[in-house]
Amino acid sequence: MEPGDRLLLHTDGIVDARDAEGRRFGRERADFVVRHHSGRQTLHETLRRLMHAVLDHHCGRLDDDAAVLPAEWRAGHQHRLVP
């Protein structure tokens, strides 16, 4: 990773959320939401939009966990982990 890069980890509950017809939310849709918003929005707003998209797809409730863990390397806040 380099300053400015973002990393998003998520559980399978994000991509496996199904709509009323049984169609999965899918990795492609999750990737699209993140790519579409990340350049113009804060990380928090991007994640908020992703979670709303998942909930909208799954009729407002989830049957499985749907955890998201973001990481962002902000320039100027660099710390060495190894001496």
Side-chain angles (χ1 to χ4, degrees), residues 10-27:
H10 58 78
T11 62
D12 64 342
I14 296 292
V15 295
D16 288 343
R18 296 185 184 272
D19 65 10
E21 285 80 41
R23 294 176 298 221
R24 294 176 63 229
F25 186 76
R27 181 171 288 133

Side-chain angles (χ1 to χ4, degrees), residues 4-67:
D5 286 349
R6 293 175 173 176
L7 175 67
L8 181 69
L9 304 172
H10 58 78
T11 62
D12 64 342
I14 296 292
V15 295
D16 288 343
R18 296 185 184 272
D19 65 10
E21 285 80 41
R23 294 176 298 221
R24 294 176 63 229
F25 186 76
R27 181 171 288 133
E28 296 79 19
R29 187 173 290 154
D31 289 347
F32 171 79
V33 171
V34 171
R35 278 194 318 271
H36 181 70
H37 294 291
S38 64
R40 294 174 281 187
Q41 305 293 332
T42 65
L43 182 59
H44 297 306
E45 180 62 16
T46 299
L47 295 179
R48 188 187 73 76
R49 290 176 185 220
L50 172 61
M51 293 309 297
H52 277 279
V54 171
L55 285 169
D56 289 347
H57 180 78
H58 198 61
C59 303
R61 62 174 183 73
L62 298 173
D63 294 330
D64 194 2
D65 66 325

